[in-house]
Amino acid sequence: MNIIGLILLAMCLPIITDCRNFFMVPKNLTAKQSTKYQTEDNPNLVNNGDRSGTYVSGVTCTHASGDDPGPWWLLDMGQTYLISGVNIWNRLDNDCAQRFTHSGVGITSDLTVWTDFSIDLLDPCHFRTDVPTVADNPLKFTCARPTSGRYLAVYKNLTGVPDLLTGFHFCEIDIYAFTKDSSKLVVTETQASFSASSTAGLLTASAPHRVRSQLECMLLCSSHPYCLYALTRTTSAVLECWLFSSFSIPTSFISLFNNSSNDGVRFLGLYGGLSKP
């Protein structure tokens, strides 16, 4: 059956309607960092819900020393969580967004990391080498596999990084974890609202996001209060994530697959998004 047939037979498409298997780790936890750019810099300021993106020492964001050879930020989550990924809200002022490159997220339960930090103690979640822009905010770090631990670190590897991009700073972090019963997804048949005649708009306009996993697509959905997403796979095995602004299939999505250039695209499923914390 082709892609249009699959969509029109909406009643045959299972959809996850209970998204409580994910939640955001609580805010205002204790953090520390390798160095400070200014004395007033406070590592706790990037775990308080302020996503403004403008660095003010001691008020918003945090910033490591400019000559720190291996900058890092470390959060004590207070208990062990099974982490699926994080959204990092980058600094947006003074053309500084591009500095958040060659940076990674790691997780561990080793108590030693709190008193004697080492990247070697971390179980890696995701490492990015791209040079971000303001438009990329927030930056998505999706663990290649669910990663368990009490301590979560954000760090930067300066090897080969140009001097212009060596600064280490960010403004907020949202951490997403699985609940203990995350394997018990409630799956039901699709509601009648999934209609090919719907006029709801794509959040991503006419272009999908390229993702590594369904988890990454769910995290993208988490930035919106009401979100539906579809997964497709191209003939070159690229996983694509389509985001919708409400629980309906827009006409624009149907028309994309009426185009002969989309032949060979495999429709993988239509799902309810991660609920807003």
Side-chain angles (χ1 to χ4, degrees):
M1 183 179 295
N2 61 29
I3 178 67
I4 302 304
L6 284 171
I7 295 176
L8 293 178
L9 290 177
M11 292 302 293
C12 297
L13 295 176
I15 175 167
I16 299 172
T17 57
D18 186 347
C19 297
R20 291 173 294 175
N21 56 307
F22 286 93
F23 68 97
M24 186 185 291
V25 173
K27 297 287 187 178
N28 299 305
L29 302 173
T30 302
K32 64 194 311 185
Q33 63 190 62
S34 54
T35 58
K36 295 181 179 181
Y37 183 67
Q38 297 189 44
T39 305
E40 297 82 7
D41 287 336
N42 184 347
N44 295 325
L45 292 176
V46 296
N47 185 234
N48 64 1
D50 186 346
R51 301 169 174 173
S52 61
T54 299
Y55 168 64
V56 179
S57 180
V59 179
T60 59
C61 310
T62 193
H63 198 314
S65 172
D67 58 1
D68 190 331
W72 51 264
W73 176 89
L74 182 65
L75 181 71
D76 182 355
M77 295 183 287
Q79 66 183 72
T80 297
Y81 291 98
L82 186 61
I83 304 300
S84 63
V86 306
N87 287 346
I88 291 180
W89 297 82
N90 200 2
R91 184 177 170 184
L92 305 179
D93 59 315
N94 298 328
D95 295 323
C96 291
Q98 60 184 335
R99 293 178 180 171
F100 206 91
T101 183
H102 288 75
S103 300
V105 170
I107 300 151
T108 185
S109 286
D110 192 327
L111 297 175
T112 307
V113 76
W114 191 253
T115 55
D116 188 16
F117 181 87
S118 172
I119 292 177
D120 295 335
L121 296 173
L122 302 175
D123 191 357
C125 165
H126 187 186
F127 190 84
R128 298 178 57 137
T129 58
D130 59 308
V131 178
T133 66
V134 169
D136 297 319
N137 209 37
L139 304 176
K140 314 291 183 180
F141 287 77
T142 306
C143 298
R145 57 177 176 78
T147 307
S148 177
R150 170 176 171 172
Y151 302 97
L152 184 141
V154 182
Y155 59 91
K156 186 167 185 174
N157 186 339
L158 295 177
T159 303
V161 177
D163 291 343
L164 182 63
L165 303 179
T166 56
F168 179 73
H169 41 64
F170 62 101
C171 293
E172 184 63 22
I173 184 169
D174 297 333
I175 305 169
Y176 295 97
F178 292 95
T179 60
K180 293 181 180 179
D181 61 347
S182 61
S183 61
K184 301 176 182 178
L185 295 177
V186 177
V187 180
T188 63
E189 297 302 324
T190 324
Q191 301 294 321
S193 59
F194 291 98
S195 166
S197 63
S198 171
T199 58
L202 277 169
L203 294 173
T204 53
S206 60
H209 294 274
R210 292 191 173 190
V211 295
R212 298 182 303 160
S213 66
Q214 182 175 344
L215 289 179
E216 187 170 356
C217 193
M218 290 183 75
L219 283 176
L220 287 170
C221 228
S222 72
S223 299
H224 305 277
Y226 301 100
C227 181
L228 175 74
Y229 69 92
L231 288 174
T232 57
R233 190 182 301 278
T234 68
T235 52
S236 57
V238 174
L239 190 63
E240 295 181 326
C241 172
W242 302 80
L243 302 182
F244 305 97
S245 59
S246 64
F247 288 86
S248 54
I249 302 175
T251 304
S252 54
F253 183 71
I254 303 295
S255 65
L256 284 174
F257 290 93
N258 280 329
N259 190 310
S260 60
S261 65
N262 289 289
D263 288 346
V265 174
R266 181 185 174 195
F267 182 69
L268 301 181
L270 188 64
Y271 307 91
L274 175 64
S275 59
K276 287 285 283 185

